């Protein structure tokens, strides 16, 4: 089959994953979107491995590694989400905004004191 | 010549010692200063004796050369009759002031710096007197100016003292600009900075008339400033804010006479420039009469004496203008004696009564007999009454004016109209001088005491340290006139080729005018002993008292525009320059504020931005390579 | 068009469609289930590419473990059942996200097409084979070290997850979901 078919599918999945990471509020939905992106990468790796007929099967082996790491990541990520939920009673990402510059325009320092 | 060096060095050393040790050991201040002045006086007397014995005297000390690239300077000193005689006058008055001051300024916390500055001043004046190089003279000239500034401002807590000191410095400095260029002009014309060299070049026709005129006119600027002649006379009355001994030394006897001395020194050059002599005559005439009229209307005893000094200096300048350096020097010497006497006596009066204002004085002749007698002698000399010294020296000047008016000057270049101008105005001024001298005499010593609570309850005679200088100065006030009895004696001592002219007619007219002026005042006073005779001037009095509003004119024309310009510059610095600097700070802060709006706290926003940036970079990479 | 290609196209469509549903659906649990569909389609794609071992690992771990974990997470964070309106970010952010995603996708696809538009995968006689034997050989012969490191990584993740989510026994800052208020201090963990 043309190499482009798996590649294009992977690319589409990747961009859909990006949209999900950036546009969804719930933290667990974001994790799901990250999984989509990782799967896109896996597909890419496998496609190239089969196309190149690598001796070491490096594409497929890497895919296995990525799957493993993704599993570990989801475990830890969910632990964090649960921790946040325990403390803030929310898993909405846009309510976790402690790092915001609250008074960006209002809290100007007294410039007259500079003279 | 060692005496010359000693006369300059002794006060310098006294000043240095006074500056360094006066703070830690205040008791040493007076002995050190008096010793310095005493040594200088002794040296000057020795030199004067030599000048009298060996007339005409001419001895030089050539010091190290200073290479300048074109005309070189030299640290040169010269001793001749003129220098010797003037140095005695300077040293004598300085010594008298150093003896007088401890009693006058008793309890002053800054006394050590005062005496050190007076010693330094004495040294600088000696340097001017003995200088044989124009730049050495300039150094002495400027050091005197600096000492004058510090000494006028001795009581710097008072605003009048501060203002007076600054005014004196600025106005004399203004003249000194012309003076400096005059020195350059003269040196280039004569080919040397050496004063004797310039004089010889002038005698040899080595200096063309145009150069001489330019150089002398510029030098005249400095003379006008230093000797307080119109239009740079405004600083001298305000300089009276300084202590009275300072006024006696600096502003009566010595520093203000330095200008006259300079012209007398370079007289051979000045004689090449009739235009300058004419200018001098006009300036002298205007100053003479104007200052005398102003003196008539003052209430402060020191300001009367200040305007009187300006007027008498104009006499000296007039003597120079009509061709007689000997007459001018004679008047310089006698004026040093009687004006110093008058100032020191005024100081004794102020010390006793506690105020400068004559309306608050009166009836002091019984309480202060010594002061009364000595001051009477001084005032009589000022008015020019025979046989006191002032009579002879003033007659010498008027006689020279008569000579040049009637016969064309013996020295040649002086125009006859200048002689007539000086003669007529001089005679008028004699009358006015006698009038204000009489007024001062009457208001201070006669009548009922008018003190209004400011005066002390019982004024007493001055302490001995203040009395003895008065008596000592009274001697030359009376006796110095003998120099004028023989026509050639003083010119011979001075080493000039002249004769003193004392005309009988002029003497009679001037004495009559003086007596008339004095009598008018006495009569007015007799009618009402409690009133001020000058009140009869009625509407003219404010104009006289304000010295014809010259100060106000200067304020309008110079001081206010400069102050306004200074304020404009400061405004520009604050609002434009500073605003730029501070404004850039503001702008940076504001921009930072806007940038901070991007920090919304939402992680997804940050990620979007990051990815968008990566995409753009990728697009760039893909399309551009 | 061979059969493999047709199947690949169909499964690809399913995967992409399911992914789209994951990111746009308004029901939280349905998103997880659509994820299952997507991951399963991916497994099918791997099979078609003759990477059998990878396909089965995908099903086992992704569908079997990861999605279950996600569902557990949804349960423990009290995810709303049924339609909920606040799953999506505000419109502006969505538009930005769409643009970014579209741009990324466009760039990637453009460069891929530009680079590989003639290439073909020959699936027929692959000497390696994608079976478990081949994968195992490669893994334990050439990739042993990364494999072992990965197991350490898994251990670390395991320990980390436990540490993060335990409650301190008997500490004052113990908080329960029911009693938590808006501005509680974070629990020491």
């Amino acid at each position: 089959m043309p190499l482009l078919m798996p590649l294009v599918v992977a690319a589409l999945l990747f961009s859909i994953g990006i949209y999900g990471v950036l546009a969804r509020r719930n933290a667990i939905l974001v994790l799901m979107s990250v999984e989509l992106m990782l799967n896109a990468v896996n597909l890419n790796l496998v496609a190239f491995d089969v196309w190149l007929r690598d001796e070491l099967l490096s594409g497929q082996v890497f895919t296995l590694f990525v799957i493993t790491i993704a599993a570990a990541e989801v475990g830890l990520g969910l632990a964090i989400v649960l921790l946040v939920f325990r403390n803030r009673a929310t898993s909405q990402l846009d309510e976790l905004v402690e790092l915001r510059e609250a008074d960006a325009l209002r809290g100007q320092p007294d410039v007259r004191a500079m003279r | 010549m060692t005496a010359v060096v000693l006369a300059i060095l002794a006060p310098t050393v006294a000043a240095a010692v006074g500056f360094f040790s006066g703070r830690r050991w205040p008791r040493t201040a007076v002995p050190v200063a008096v010793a310095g002045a005493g040594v200088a006086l002794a040296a000057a007397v020795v030199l004067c004796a030599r000048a009298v014995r060996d007339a005409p005297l001419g001895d030089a000390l050539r010091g190290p050369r200073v290479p300048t690239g074109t005309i070189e300077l030299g640290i040169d000193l010269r001793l001749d009759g003129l220098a010797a005689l003037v140095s005695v006058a300077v040293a004598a008055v300085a010594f008298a002031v150093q003896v007088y001051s401890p009693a006058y300024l008793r309890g002053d916390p800054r006394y050590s710096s005062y005496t050190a500055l007076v010693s330094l001043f004495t040294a600088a004046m000696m340097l001017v007197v003995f200088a044989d190089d124009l730049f050495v003279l300039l150094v002495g000239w400027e050091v005197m100016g600096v000492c004058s500034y510090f000494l006028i401002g001795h009581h710097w807590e008072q605003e009048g003292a501060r203002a007076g000191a600054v005014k004196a410095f600025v106005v004399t400095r203004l003249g000194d600009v012309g003076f400096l260029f005059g020195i350059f002009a003269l040196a280039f014309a004569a080919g040397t900075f050496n004063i004797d060299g310039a004089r010889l070049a002038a005698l040899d026709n080595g200096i063309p008339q145009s150069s001489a005129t330019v150089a002398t006119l510029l030098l005249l600027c400095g003379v006008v400033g230093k000797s307080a002649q119109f239009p740079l006379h405004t600083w001298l009355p305000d300089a009276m804010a300084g202590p009275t001994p300072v006024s006696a030394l600096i502003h009566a006897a010595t520093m203000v006479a330095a200008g006259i001395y300079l012209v007398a020194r370079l007289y051979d050059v000045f004689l090449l420039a009739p235009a300058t002599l004419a200018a001098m005559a006009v300036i002298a005439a205007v100053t003479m009469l104007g200052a005398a009229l102003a003196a008539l209307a003052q209430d402060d005893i020191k300001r009367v004496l200040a305007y009187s000094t300006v007027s008498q200096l104009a006499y000296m300048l007039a003597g120079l203008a009509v061709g007689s350096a000997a007459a001018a020097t004679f008047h310089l010497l006698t004026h040093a004696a009687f004006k110093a006497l008058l100032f020191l006596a005024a100081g004794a009066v102020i010390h006793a009564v506690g105020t400068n204002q004559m309306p608050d004085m009166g009836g002091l002749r019984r309480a202060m007999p010594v002061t009364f007698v000595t001051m009477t002698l001084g005032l009589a000399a000022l008015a020019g009454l025979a046989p006191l010294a002032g009579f002879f020296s003033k007659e010498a000047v008027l006689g020279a004016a008569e000579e040049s008016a009637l016969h064309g000057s013996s020295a040649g270049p002086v125009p006859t109209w200048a002689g007539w101008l000086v003669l007529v105005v001089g005679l008028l001024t004699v009358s006015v001088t006698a009038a204000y001298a009489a007024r001062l005499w009457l208001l201070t010593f006669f009548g009922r005491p008018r003190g209004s609570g400011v005066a002390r309850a019982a004024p007493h005679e001055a302490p001995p340290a203040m009395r003895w200088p008065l008596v000592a100065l009274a001697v030359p006030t009376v006796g110095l006139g003998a120099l004028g009895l023989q026509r050639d004696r003083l010119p011979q001592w001075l080493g000039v080729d002249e004769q003193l002219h004392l005309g009988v007619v002029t003497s009679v007219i001037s004495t009559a005018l003086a007596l008339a002026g004095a009598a008018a005042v006495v009569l007015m006073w007799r009618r009402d002993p409690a009133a001020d005779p000058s009140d009869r001037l009625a509407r003219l009095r404010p104009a006289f008292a304000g010295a014809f509003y010259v100060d106000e004119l200067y304020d309008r024309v110079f001081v206010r525009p400069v102050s306004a310009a200074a304020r404009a510059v400061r405004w520009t610095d604050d609002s434009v320059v500073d605003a730029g600097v501070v404004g850039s700070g503001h702008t940076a802060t504001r921009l930072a504020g806007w940038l901070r709006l991007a920090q919304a706290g939402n992680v997804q926003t940050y990620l979007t931005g990051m990815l968008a940036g990566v995409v753009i970079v990728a697009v760039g990479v893909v399309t551009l390579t | 068009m061979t059969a493999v290609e047709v199947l690949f196209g169909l499964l690809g469509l399913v995967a992409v469609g399911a992914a789209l549903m994951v990111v746009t659906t308004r029901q939280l649990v349905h998103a997880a289930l659509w994820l299952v569909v997507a991951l399963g389609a991916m497994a099918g794609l791997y099979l078609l590419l003759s990477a059998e071992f990878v396909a089965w690992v995908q099903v086992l771990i992704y569908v079997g473990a990861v999605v279950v974990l996600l569902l557990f997470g949804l349960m423990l964070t009290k995810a709303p059942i049924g339609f909920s309106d606040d799953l999506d970010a505000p419109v502006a952010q969505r538009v930005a996200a769409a643009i970014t995603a579209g741009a990324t996708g466009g760039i990637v696809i453009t460069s891929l097409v530009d680079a590989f538009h003639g290439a073909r995968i020959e699936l027929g006689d692959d000497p390696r084979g994608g079976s478990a034997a081949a994968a195992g050989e490669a893994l334990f012969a050439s990739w042993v070290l990364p494999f072992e490191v990965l197991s350490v990584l898994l251990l670390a993740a395991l320990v980390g997850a436990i540490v993060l989510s335990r409650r301190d026994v008997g500490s004052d800052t113990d908080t329960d979901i029911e009693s938590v208020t808006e501005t509680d201090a974070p629990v020491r963990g």
Side-chain angles (χ1 to χ4, degrees), chain B residues 248-567:
Chain B
L249 177 64
I250 298 185
H251 306 126
T254 45
M255 184 173 92
V256 293
I260 309 296
Y261 178 79
L262 174 86
V263 180
R265 257 267 180 247
L266 288 169
Y267 203 52
D268 291 307
V269 181
F270 275 82
L271 284 175
L272 292 178
T276 313
L277 294 174
M280 276 162 61
V282 172
I283 292 175
V286 171
T287 313
M288 208 186 282
L289 191 56
L293 288 172
L296 198 52
Q298 301 298 317
D299 275 336
D300 183 331
I301 191 174
K302 282 179 72 175
R303 281 180 86 97
V304 174
L305 293 176
Y307 280 111
S308 165
T309 306
V310 174
S311 180
Q312 297 299 308
L313 285 166
Y315 263 107
M316 298 177 216
L317 197 66
L320 290 167
V322 295
S324 176
T329 313
F330 191 16
H331 199 56
L332 191 156
L333 294 171
T334 59
H335 178 263
F338 67 70
K339 199 40 83 56
L341 168 62
L342 280 171
F343 265 106
L344 292 181
V349 168
I350 295 169
H351 186 82
V353 176
T355 173
N356 285 14
Q357 302 294 320
M358 289 194 297
D360 290 336
M361 298 179 191
L364 287 173
R365 75 176 185 284
R366 288 197 189 89
M368 310 176 67
V370 174
T371 312
F372 174 61
V373 169
T374 48
M375 198 158 190
T376 310
L377 289 172
L379 287 168
L382 173 62
L385 299 174
L388 297 167
F391 168 74
F392 287 99
S393 60
K394 201 172 288 190
E395 288 317 311
V397 172
L398 291 173
E402 184 195 8
E403 264 295 308
S404 83
L406 294 179
H407 310 298
S409 162
S410 51
V414 181
T416 36
W417 63 263
W420 278 112
L421 179 66
V422 167
L423 184 62
V424 170
V425 176
L427 286 172
L428 280 173
T429 313
V430 166
S431 183
V432 181
T433 308
Y436 70 68
R439 173 175 171 259
L440 191 149
W441 190 59
L442 291 171
L443 282 179
T444 311
F445 292 109
F446 288 82
R448 292 240 169 83
R450 287 183 296 275
S452 52
V454 181
R456 306 236 176 92
H460 51 276
E461 182 58 90
M466 284 164 65
R467 250 181 289 156
W468 281 108
L470 295 180
V471 174
L473 283 170
V475 171
T477 307
V478 175
L480 215 49
L483 280 178
L485 287 175
Q486 259 197 333
R487 286 190 155 203
D488 333 328
R489 188 176 290 168
L490 182 62
Q492 204 185 33
W493 289 353
L494 291 173
V496 294
D497 186 19
E498 281 177 35
Q499 287 189 329
L500 292 177
H501 301 271
L502 271 74
V504 173
V505 176
T506 327
S507 310
V508 167
I509 297 178
S510 74
T511 310
L513 283 169
L515 288 172
V521 170
V522 171
L523 281 172
M524 277 189 257
W525 182 77
R526 280 212 109 123
R527 257 181 234 160
D528 187 3
D532 186 343
S534 288
D535 285 340
R536 296 292 227 105
L537 291 170
R539 261 171 297 165
L540 288 176
R541 188 161 182 197
F544 289 177
F548 307 99
Y549 304 121
V550 176
D551 259 332
E552 280 76 13
L553 176 68
Y554 286 168
D555 183 57
R556 281 272 166 87
V557 173
F558 298 116
V559 175
R560 279 194 216 172
V562 171
S563 299
R567 273 196 299 276

Side-chain angles (χ1 to χ4, degrees), chain A residues 18 20-26 30 93-94 96-105 107-109 111-112 114-115, chain B residues 574 578-579 582-583 585-586 589-609 611:
Chain A
I18 287 183
V21 165
L22 299 182
R24 293 295 236 174
R25 265 205 208 152
N26 195 308
V30 170
L93 275 182
D94 49 2
L96 307 174
V97 284
E98 267 67 36
L99 288 182
R100 126 191 259 143
E101 282 283 350
D103 304 304
L105 276 186
Q108 291 278 4
V111 295
R112 271 184 292 280
M114 277 190 212
R115 277 187 186 244
Chain B
D574 269 349
D578 250 7
V582 176
H586 289 199
T589 313
R590 217 167 288 135
L591 279 176
W594 286 330
L595 273 177
R596 273 152 72 205
L597 286 174
Q599 300 293 315
N602 188 331
V603 180
Q604 285 166 320
T605 317
Y606 299 163
L607 264 179
T608 315
L611 279 172

Side-chain angles (χ1 to χ4, degrees), chain B residues 107-318:
Chain B
D108 191 302
R110 292 191 285 276
Y111 193 73
S112 53
S113 73
Y114 168 89
T115 40
L117 281 166
V118 173
S119 300
L120 183 63
F121 171 85
T122 315
M125 183 70 194
M126 286 297 192
L127 192 62
V128 169
V129 167
F130 288 117
D132 200 18
D133 185 279
L134 285 167
F135 266 96
V136 174
L137 189 143
L138 184 66
V139 168
W141 188 274
E142 297 299 343
V143 174
M144 284 201 296
V146 169
C147 291
S148 163
Y149 169 80
F150 282 122
L151 284 167
I152 296 173
H154 178 74
H155 296 300
W156 42 252
E157 307 90 12
Q158 298 165 10
E159 218 245 292
R162 294 197 298 271
V166 171
K167 186 173 181 178
F169 193 71
V170 170
V171 175
T172 49
R173 227 48 188 104
L174 194 58
D176 288 348
V177 172
F179 190 63
L180 183 65
F181 284 108
I183 290 182
F184 290 146
L186 181 57
F188 278 119
T192 174
F193 278 107
N194 191 291
I195 293 180
D196 204 46
R199 192 178 69 86
L200 290 171
L203 286 173
D204 260 347
N205 294 320
I207 304 180
Q209 188 182 54
S210 52
S211 321
T213 311
V214 167
T216 49
L217 278 174
L218 288 170
L219 288 171
L220 190 63
C221 294
V223 170
V224 163
K226 207 67 152 188
S227 297
Q229 302 297 292
F230 179 86
L232 296 175
H233 64 285
T234 49
W235 64 271
L236 192 52
D238 287 342
M240 295 297 114
T244 310
V246 166
S247 307
L249 177 64
I250 298 185
H251 306 126
T254 45
M255 184 173 92
V256 293
I260 309 296
Y261 178 79
L262 174 86
V263 180
R265 257 267 180 247
L266 288 169
Y267 203 52
D268 291 307
V269 181
F270 275 82
L271 284 175
L272 292 178
T276 313
L277 294 174
M280 276 162 61
V282 172
I283 292 175
V286 171
T287 313
M288 208 186 282
L289 191 56
L293 288 172
L296 198 52
Q298 301 298 317
D299 275 336
D300 183 331
I301 191 174
K302 282 179 72 175
R303 281 180 86 97
V304 174
L305 293 176
Y307 280 111
S308 165
T309 306
V310 174
S311 180
Q312 297 299 308
L313 285 166
Y315 263 107
M316 298 177 216
L317 197 66

Side-chain angles (χ1 to χ4, degrees), chain A:
Chain A
M1 69 172 78
L3 177 59
L4 274 180
M5 285 182 75
L7 296 188
V8 168
V9 172
L12 285 172
L13 277 174
F14 191 73
S15 39
I16 293 170
I18 287 183
Y19 175 78
V21 165
L22 299 182
R24 293 295 236 174
R25 265 205 208 152
N26 195 308
I28 298 184
L29 282 173
V30 170
L31 279 172
M32 287 185 208
S33 311
V34 172
E35 294 310 316
L36 280 176
M37 289 163 75
L38 285 167
N39 269 281
V41 169
N42 287 347
L43 183 56
N44 215 347
L45 281 168
V46 169
F48 272 106
D49 179 77
V50 173
W51 180 56
L52 289 172
R53 294 196 182 171
D54 191 8
E55 280 282 320
L56 295 176
L57 249 66
S58 37
Q60 298 188 31
V61 169
F62 273 145
T63 309
L64 291 172
F65 290 163
V66 169
I67 293 175
T68 318
I69 292 169
E73 169 230 330
V74 164
L76 275 174
L78 278 171
I80 293 173
V81 170
L82 284 176
L83 207 51
V84 168
F85 185 79
R86 227 184 264 162
N87 286 292
R88 306 294 178 85
T90 177
S91 50
Q92 306 279 61
L93 275 182
D94 49 2
E95 291 179 23
L96 307 174
V97 284
E98 267 67 36
L99 288 182
R100 126 191 259 143
E101 282 283 350
D103 304 304
L105 276 186
R106 257 175 291 131
Q108 291 278 4
D110 186 1
V111 295
R112 271 184 292 280
M114 277 190 212
R115 277 187 186 244

